[in-house]
Amino acid sequence: MEELRIQGTGVVLRPGKLVCVGRNYAAHAREMKSDVPAEPMLFLKPASSLIGPRGQIQLPPESQDVHHEVELVVILGRHLRCASPDEALGAIAGLAVGLDLTARDIQQRAKEKGHPWSVSKGFDTFAPLGPIVEADAGQPRRISLKVNGELKQEAMTSDMLFPVADLLAYVSGIFTLEPGDLLFTGTPEGVGPIRNGDVLLAEIEGLPPLEITAVRTR
Ligand code: ZN
């Protein structure tokens, strides 16, 4: 895996964990026919699923329905435990645009059986991350995703049900957050399948874009 660095600082990212939030945009919860949660709904992706902006998405043979989920990703710069929302904002090292790729067919079968989501969310290359820059996590930003130039997802980060500061505070009460850990803050509506050869362009206003190709080699 290529080294991921926080731009301008040279700090190399070695994440211990990728914490993700499900159903953090009401319109996406509706399209998944899920209830809007009363508190943040968390799951984890393995650190081995992470790839940088020069990586390539590998579509696994186990799934025929891998979906894109564009998300604002927060990179922790400090240890955080049982933090207040204000303390949490002070622990952010940077922001990036990322993708929480999901094998929707595997996830659907897991949901039906009441099984965990780890397999559907955790394949190698299922967490592409754009360049990390220092930026204000509280500022409303347009977030969007295009597949082969066609707009699929578009929203404002201010549409999140739980904003970044509240998410970090909540998460830090459960998992101690360490420098380099990542928080994927949930995806807006418009998720859909990606196919061999597709070029994905993930953008968040004010951050460097992520352009990445998906391939099926097996
Ligand atoms: Zn997601």
Side-chain angles (χ1 to χ4, degrees):
M1 192 184 88
E2 81 194 73
E3 276 188 348
L4 296 167
R5 292 174 187 271
I6 301 173
Q7 254 182 26
T9 69
V11 174
V12 177
L13 198 65
R14 299 189 198 289
K17 56 187 170 298
L18 281 51
V19 182
C20 306
V21 184
R23 303 170 195 164
N24 200 26
Y25 290 80
H28 172 60
R30 280 196 296 274
E31 78 177 341
M32 298 305 294
K33 304 196 172 19
S34 300
D35 294 332
V36 170
E39 56 184 17
M41 201 271 278
L42 305 183
F43 61 93
L44 298 170
K45 287 166 91 88
S48 51
S49 62
L50 195 62
I51 54 170
R54 288 186 294 279
Q56 197 174 45
I57 297 164
Q58 305 284 337
L59 299 171
E62 291 85 353
S63 174
Q64 297 307 313
D65 195 28
V66 175
H67 278 202
H68 53 76
E69 296 191 359
V70 65
E71 309 202 359
L72 172 68
V73 181
V74 175
I75 295 88
L76 269 293
R78 289 212 296 268
H79 180 100
L80 209 58
R81 172 75 196 153
C82 292
S84 69
D86 274 353
E87 288 166 344
L89 285 180
I92 296 173
L95 304 179
V97 61
L99 295 169
D100 167 25
L101 297 179
T102 306
R104 197 69 73 197
D105 43 1
I106 297 174
Q107 185 193 39
Q108 188 54 38
R109 291 197 293 272
K111 281 181 179 176
E112 286 162 10
K113 293 178 187 164
H115 287 178
W117 291 6
S118 308
V119 172
S120 67
K121 295 281 190 178
F123 288 98
D124 286 3
T125 78
F126 265 30
L129 194 69
I132 302 159
V133 293
E134 288 184 48
D136 177 3
Q139 187 184 317
R141 298 170 192 274
R142 180 178 173 272
I143 178 169
S144 67
L145 181 101
K146 290 176 182 162
V147 179
N148 303 325
E150 189 181 331
L151 186 64
K152 299 288 188 182
Q153 294 187 265
E154 186 181 29
M156 292 296 293
T157 56
S158 47
D159 296 339
M160 286 183 198
L161 296 170
F162 302 98
V164 168
D166 294 11
L167 285 176
L168 285 174
Y170 179 83
V171 171
S172 77
I174 299 165
F175 309 124
T176 294
L177 291 165
E178 307 279 8
D181 284 353
L182 305 179
L183 177 70
F184 283 67
T185 58
T187 197
E189 70 178 318
V191 300
I194 53 182
R195 300 185 175 85
N196 184 31
D198 280 352
V199 179
L200 282 67
L201 178 63
E203 293 179 286
I204 294 178
E205 194 181 352
L207 308 182
L210 168 67
E211 188 178 64
I212 198 158
T213 304
V215 294
R216 190 180 288 281
T217 54
R218 292 187 290 152

